[in-house]
Amino acid sequence: SIKPRPREALEKLGSAADGIEEDPLADEKIAFLERSGTDDTVDFPCYADRYPVEMLEYLRLMQMTPEDTRGKPLSEFDYTRTISAANEAAVLTSVVQAIKRQIGNYPNDDEDDAALIKDRGLFRLLSYNQRMAVRHRRNEKRLLKRTVAALEKQIRRKGLDAPDLRRAGGSTLGELLPGEERMYGTKQRTALEDRLEKMGLPVDLK
């Protein structure tokens, strides 16, 4: 799971924490989640080509670094929008990695299940519940693989596989990535729009 990792939590894990980096913003993230009434570990459903908006918002917060905030409070950032290219790349990559770990937990791959189902003589030897379980397991793995493929395509389309992606550097304007304006009907926020929104004033001055 992805959750804030303060030093105290890593110390409790002992050797199990090897390879896990301390999150310098962990305490602030935990406080932010407590104020918003959100647990620090959240489960989200997985679909073949889409995912809940709430998952993206949660992961954007979890992937925030000091290079994004530059000392600004986490509450000043809008997690409904892309924070920065590097933050969004970390978000989508973390989902891909989590799904691949889940696929690796299965005892075999979907090709093995497909071969078993195709072997009618052997497949009929299984009970009805066993046959349904094999079909369900195969479909689950296919869904997960399609999700990985869709995410990796999105990473490439948005240019998030490039090296040295930018962090927000303290800017709360967010970053409009390639294709997002057409896909979501959004545009790059200006500094004036950001200030007006924080003041509770109308952003659209037309």
Side-chain angles (χ1 to χ4, degrees):
S1 62
I2 297 177
K3 60 186 297 184
R5 304 286 186 181
R7 178 176 298 177
E8 297 78 9
L10 296 181
E11 289 175 349
K12 290 180 181 178
L13 291 174
S15 59
D18 291 347
I20 301 177
E21 296 183 5
E22 176 189 350
D23 184 351
L25 299 179
D27 291 333
E28 188 180 356
K29 290 175 182 177
I30 292 172
F32 182 95
L33 291 171
E34 289 177 348
R35 288 195 301 272
S36 63
T38 305
D39 294 333
D40 60 8
T41 302
V42 185
D43 294 323
F44 296 100
C46 176
Y47 306 103
D49 57 353
R50 54 195 169 89
Y51 30 77
V53 172
E54 293 81 6
M55 183 184 77
L56 283 182
E57 296 174 4
Y58 177 83
L59 291 177
R60 284 168 183 156
L61 171 65
M62 291 300 100
Q63 297 293 352
M64 290 292 283
T65 69
E67 288 72 31
D68 284 311
T69 62
R70 293 297 186 188
K72 288 187 177 179
L74 290 172
S75 57
E76 290 195 13
F77 293 84
D78 181 2
Y79 300 101
T80 65
R81 306 168 71 99
T82 298
I83 301 296
S84 66
N87 178 275
E88 198 74 359
V91 165
L92 298 181
T93 300
S94 69
V95 179
V96 169
Q97 292 172 343
I99 295 174
K100 286 183 175 180
R101 283 196 299 270
Q102 182 63 30
I103 293 173
N105 290 334
Y106 288 100
N108 53 12
D109 57 35
D110 58 307
E111 287 81 6
D112 294 328
D113 287 333
L116 176 59
I117 294 171
K118 189 175 181 180
D119 188 337
R120 296 184 179 180
L122 181 59
F123 197 54
R124 279 198 297 266
L125 295 177
L126 302 177
S127 68
Y128 173 81
N129 287 340
Q130 287 174 327
R131 293 196 299 272
M132 291 301 100
V134 171
R135 289 194 176 99
H136 181 71
R137 184 177 63 194
R138 179 199 59 180
N139 292 337
E140 274 189 345
K141 286 180 284 190
R142 288 182 173 178
L143 171 63
L144 292 172
K145 288 184 176 181
R146 286 198 296 269
T147 304
V148 168
L151 285 166
E152 290 178 339
K153 180 180 179 180
Q154 185 174 352
I155 288 172
R156 292 190 300 270
R157 186 177 67 246
K158 293 185 175 183
L160 299 177
D161 55 346
D164 303 322
L165 294 172
R166 293 178 300 176
R167 286 284 176 178
S171 171
T172 60
L173 301 180
E175 182 172 349
L176 195 66
L177 298 175
E180 287 188 340
E181 182 172 1
R182 178 175 55 82
M183 185 180 302
Y184 303 119
T186 58
K187 60 185 181 65
Q188 181 63 53
R189 180 184 294 181
T190 66
L192 174 59
E193 290 172 334
D194 192 52
R195 287 197 298 272
L196 289 174
E197 184 173 297
K198 286 181 169 60
M199 294 169 63
L201 297 174
V203 174
D204 189 352
L205 301 179
K206 294 181 180 179

